[in-house]
Amino acid sequence: MDAPHLVDGRFFPPLSSAGQPARLRVAPGEGAPMVSAALADGTALDALAVDDVQAGDTLHFAGGGSFIADRPLPPEVTALFQSPMRRRIARLEAFSLPKAVLLGLALILCVAGVRAALPAAARAVALAVPERLERTIGDRSYATLARMGLAASEIPEERRQTLARRAADLAGAARLTRRPEIVFHRAPGFGANAMALPGGPIVVTDALVELLGSDDAVLAVLAHEMAHVERRHSLQQVLAVAGAAAMASVVLGVDDSLLEELSATVVNVWSFKNSRDFEKEADLVGMDILRAGGMDPALLADAIAALTTQACARLAGDARARCLSEAGAAETGWLSTHPGAKDRLGYLREALGR
Amino acid sequence: MGNEAERAEPAIRSIDFHGRAGEYFGIWISNLFLSIVTLGIYSAWAKVRRVRYFYNATRIQGTPFSYHATGKQILIGRVVSCVVIAVYTLITTFVPLAVLPFSIAFAIALPWLINRSLRFQARMTSWRNVRFDWHGTYGKNFLFFLVCPLVAMLSLGLLMPPISRATYRYFAESHAFGVTRFRTRATVAAYYKAFLAALVLPVAAAVAVGAAVALTQPGFAAGGWLGLLPFLMVPAFAFLFMFQVMYRVACRNILLRSMTLGDAVTFDSRLGPLRVLWIALSNAVAILFSLGLLVPWAMVRTYRYQAENTGVGLADDAPAFLDAQTQAVGAFGEEFMDLEGLEFGI
Ligand SMILES: [Zn+2]
């Protein structure tokens, strides 16, 4: 066993700035080092628990006291109080030019890699996020939406129950691991809309049900939304944004609000591209769900076409043609949060052809 | 300041900062690397490393500052704010109109958030085994951080000096070292002087640019300038930025020079407004041209300039005063979360 280290300095009792000369004895042991102190007034303190060592000369004890050494502590003493992980990170942090160049290159690769692999990485992390946290986000969002103007649905209860039951049957037939609850609300501000909140519930507005008319068409949209929940799209979206924002905050420190604005814009563009991929996936998985439930997958394409036609009905000529391909981007409702009908109907028909 | 005659002027010594750009670069790039590899999770620990590096390298009377927040605490705070931001992002994508009620709710919550954030920041900082503290209130935060800036703007800046005085005073006097509050006694006149001084250069620059444009482009004066309004926005923002930087520096100087802790500690601040402007601009250029690699250098350089030009004076009875400092029991910040994105400083 190594000999104990003796360090001279000042000892400060908890909550006080009145220090007195003291000699600290640090004995390396099996686990945590044994620390004791002999104060100038004759007091002896045993088994001091060290919280952390800062500035190379200051030891903070659990419970609030501290010890400031007269001279910087030898590195081997400081190292005694570092976890193996912290020691490894400290080695990484020690500056040398070759290491800086190497880390810099690794960083550029990482940024490029993350940029390319962000969706996949977000998916991997999403799998690690506890379902409870996902549900918390979903529940809070639902509560907030409810406060903002979700009224009781005016769709006959019988029909709502039929729709919910058929959606549950679809989820069962497609062997989905997540079976979100379907809730109906009258919500004038939200337009004809269906929203898949993370981990559940799917909110359907009365306007959507009325506009689509047939239950089959509503179920097609629900299949798309269930695909969002099943693949945890909202959560991945949030993770991608949070990850990118966290990176930006580390890169830029905290002081530069202008650069922060800039990074927020980048994050938005990023997540927008992401969301198009998610929508495509939800459309394709949604069709699989319909197929598994013995329904016609073309129903989804029909529902999108019906919603688009309805949204553009008021326009005429060129404006109408443009609206039909862009799906009335300014409108509040399901279409406004989804890609243009031209793209979507294109790949949907392609998938149907196969 | 009438007691200068009867008391010996305490010797003012500048704050010691021995951080080095190369050393910090290693920490910075490791933080960055680990944060990216862990998809942002490490960034909470990265923050601790960053703040600790600057605090630990800062010494008064040979004693360093310590930072006590842990990565776990900050991570919890970040998860909480992530949930809030997630809810906001989701709902505003579904319902774009929801931005308005959210903004109102945010304005209502802001003073509370500021309180939590400043208290956490203060309580996680210690010097000589005593932690700092923050005693602000919701009402006063609302007044000073939300209402006052609005009033200053509506008065076209005319009421800015008294408002600055009150705000800076509130900020400083709500902070405490242990249980002793900081005190300030700057006059409104000092702030008006700073306000006018900060105006001189931007106004002169604006007049010079205006004159140059009018002379070389006679068409402007004849009314053609309306079409060029967008181009005038750029210099206008530049002048505003210049004014803002110089005025803030002057306010910091006034505040710190008039600040005391107990009867034993005085402070000094001698930042040069032009110098700060130069540092900010040259930092921006250096960061831009190094693709961000000079961020650590810029941070250390800014911090060093501030430390070198900030002084602390200890009167003869200061050792006794400092020894007598205690901290209220329960001021440990363990139960407080860090609320990210809200950092206030002077
Ligand atoms: Zn969708």
Side-chain angles (χ1 to χ4, degrees):
Chain A
M1 184 168 280
D2 299 317
H5 299 271
L6 295 175
V7 187
D8 287 325
R10 291 176 79 76
F11 180 87
F12 298 84
L15 307 178
S16 162
S17 64
Q20 59 167 308
R23 171 168 284 184
L24 206 69
R25 188 174 179 280
V26 181
E30 284 295 298
M34 294 289 294
V35 181
S36 53
L39 310 191
D41 65 8
T43 321
L45 297 165
D46 269 338
L48 290 162
V50 176
D51 256 357
D52 56 26
V53 179
Q54 294 195 34
D57 65 359
T58 307
L59 285 89
H60 295 287
F61 303 115
S66 57
F67 175 86
I68 303 180
D70 293 338
R71 273 177 297 280
L73 298 167
E76 64 267 25
V77 175
T78 313
L80 288 174
F81 300 103
Q82 285 176 334
S83 66
M85 178 61 101
R86 181 38 71 195
R87 261 198 297 266
R88 246 170 274 149
I89 292 174
R91 268 203 295 280
L92 186 69
E93 287 171 352
F95 179 75
S96 81
L97 198 62
K99 202 195 285 172
V101 172
L102 219 66
L103 266 178
L105 286 175
L107 201 64
I108 292 169
L109 269 176
C110 265
V111 171
V114 169
R115 204 274 165 246
L118 198 72
R123 183 164 303 181
V125 176
L127 290 177
V129 168
E131 303 237 349
R132 212 167 47 114
L133 181 62
E134 188 180 0
R135 277 224 66 111
T136 308
I137 296 176
D139 289 345
R140 292 271 176 90
S141 302
Y142 181 52
T144 314
L145 274 177
R147 262 202 304 280
M148 275 171 36
L150 293 181
S153 173
E154 282 165 6
I155 308 271
E157 193 177 345
E158 204 178 325
R159 187 172 180 202
R160 276 184 275 146
Q161 275 172 359
T162 311
L163 279 166
R165 186 178 40 73
R166 288 188 63 190
D169 290 347
L170 264 183
R175 297 215 179 77
L176 300 182
T177 48
R178 293 177 180 77
R179 310 281 168 91
E181 191 191 345
I182 316 281
V183 289
F184 296 86
H185 283 286
R186 193 171 59 81
F190 299 7
N193 216 335
M195 296 161 269
L197 301 172
I202 292 173
V203 181
V204 183
T205 66
D206 286 7
L208 185 89
V209 180
E210 279 153 16
L211 215 150
L212 286 171
S214 84
D215 283 7
D216 281 2
V218 175
L219 280 163
V221 171
L222 284 177
H224 168 101
E225 297 302 328
M226 285 194 288
H228 276 315
V229 176
E230 178 71 9
R231 297 290 167 105
R232 306 178 89 175
H233 283 160
S234 302
L235 183 69
Q236 289 179 45
Q237 190 84 333
V238 168
L239 282 171
V241 173
M247 270 182 249
S249 81
V250 179
V251 183
L252 309 168
V254 275
D255 292 335
D256 229 309
S257 54
L258 190 74
L259 287 174
E260 249 164 44
E261 293 286 297
L262 204 77
S263 69
T265 315
V266 175
V267 168
N268 279 340
V269 172
W270 219 337
S271 57
F272 180 71
K273 191 214 157 270
N274 232 355
S275 80
R276 297 187 81 92
D277 296 343
F278 287 156
E279 291 310 336
K280 186 172 178 182
E281 192 181 15
D283 279 342
L284 298 178
V285 173
M287 289 203 297
D288 288 342
I289 294 174
L290 290 173
R291 224 178 262 124
M295 293 175 70
D296 183 0
L299 280 167
L300 182 56
D302 293 348
I304 292 166
L307 282 170
T308 312
T309 314
Q310 187 74 28
C312 304
R314 275 167 283 121
L315 301 166
D318 277 358
R320 182 157 177 194
R322 217 176 316 121
C323 170
L324 281 171
S325 73
E326 284 161 19
E331 189 97 7
T332 296
W334 201 63
L335 292 173
S336 70
T337 55
H338 284 76
K342 206 168 76 184
D343 296 8
R344 283 180 94 184
L345 293 177
Y347 62 67
L348 283 175
R349 295 219 172 90
E350 195 181 300
L352 284 170
R354 265 191 252 127
Chain B
M1 307 196 187
N3 53 357
E4 266 155 38
E6 63 214 60
R7 282 179 72 117
E9 185 90 16
I12 298 224
R13 280 177 43 190
S14 64
I15 293 178
D16 224 20
F17 177 68
H18 52 81
R20 282 179 307 150
E23 204 175 40
Y24 180 57
F25 182 87
I27 292 172
W28 176 80
I29 202 159
S30 308
N31 277 349
L32 200 53
F33 181 73
L34 293 171
S35 297
I36 290 175
V37 171
T38 58
L39 286 163
I41 293 167
Y42 182 78
S43 72
W45 282 265
K47 181 189 171 165
V48 173
R49 288 295 293 138
R50 182 181 74 233
V51 177
R52 268 197 189 180
Y53 181 77
F54 283 95
Y55 278 23
N56 287 178
T58 308
R59 286 175 189 255
I60 293 176
Q61 299 272 302
T63 306
F65 284 87
S66 287
Y67 184 61
H68 300 274
T70 63
K72 207 167 133 198
Q73 269 174 326
I74 290 175
L75 188 69
I76 292 170
R78 285 195 176 169
V79 168
V80 170
S81 42
C82 271
V83 169
V84 174
I85 291 169
V87 169
Y88 171 81
T89 314
L90 279 172
I91 290 185
T92 47
T93 31
F94 292 144
V95 194
L97 283 177
V99 171
L100 189 69
F102 264 114
S103 311
I104 295 169
F106 183 67
I108 292 170
L110 192 63
W112 180 81
L113 289 171
I114 292 173
N115 246 349
R116 298 285 292 228
S117 166
L118 287 175
R119 189 161 49 201
F120 183 85
Q121 233 170 278
R123 289 186 173 182
M124 287 302 147
T125 306
S126 77
W127 185 73
R128 272 182 75 135
N129 197 40
V130 169
R131 296 198 186 205
F132 289 79
D133 206 352
W134 163 260
H135 297 283
T137 61
Y138 179 94
K140 283 184 174 167
N141 282 355
F142 193 84
L143 180 67
F144 286 115
F145 296 129
L146 284 175
V147 178
C148 279
L150 211 66
V151 174
M153 213 160 67
L154 290 178
S155 72
L156 296 172
L158 287 178
L159 289 178
M160 207 146 137
I163 284 175
S164 302
R165 174 178 177 265
T167 308
Y168 277 86
R169 182 177 183 163
Y170 167 68
F171 184 82
E173 299 201 344
S174 300
H175 272 103
F177 175 63
V179 289
T180 313
R181 301 263 199 125
F182 290 86
R183 291 279 165 249
T184 65
R185 43 182 180 174
T187 59
V188 178
Y191 281 94
Y192 266 110
K193 229 189 273 171
F195 180 74
L196 292 175
L199 271 180
V200 171
L201 195 74
V203 168
V207 169
V209 169
V213 168
L215 285 177
T216 53
Q217 316 270 302
F220 273 12
W225 56 272
L226 252 180
L228 283 143
L229 212 55
F231 296 100
L232 293 177
M233 294 296 275
V234 177
F237 273 117
F239 299 142
L240 209 66
F241 174 75
M242 266 162 79
F243 167 74
Q244 224 227 334
V245 169
M246 302 210 299
Y247 181 61
R248 280 189 64 166
V249 169
C251 285
R252 180 190 195 267
N253 286 344
I254 294 171
L255 179 80
L256 282 174
R257 282 182 205 170
S258 78
M259 195 165 87
T260 53
L261 180 65
D263 284 331
V265 187
T266 55
F267 300 86
D268 190 23
S269 170
R270 309 218 166 261
L271 296 182
L274 283 174
R275 185 72 207 209
V276 171
L277 201 59
W278 159 248
I279 290 178
L281 291 176
S282 52
N283 275 352
V285 171
I287 290 171
L288 218 62
F289 281 95
S290 66
L291 299 174
L293 282 178
L294 284 178
V295 165
W297 170 81
M299 282 170 76
V300 167
R301 177 186 182 216
T302 310
Y303 198 94
R304 167 168 305 124
Y305 179 71
Q306 284 179 0
E308 274 172 359
N309 291 283
T310 306
V312 177
L314 299 178
D316 294 337
D317 50 357
F321 166 78
L322 288 177
D323 276 356
Q325 290 316 295
T326 54
Q327 172 181 304
V329 182
F332 291 102
E334 264 72 43
E335 71 274 32
F336 290 95
M337 313 175 291
D338 190 338
L339 292 148
E340 288 298 309
L342 287 163
E343 301 236 357
F344 292 81
I346 49 168

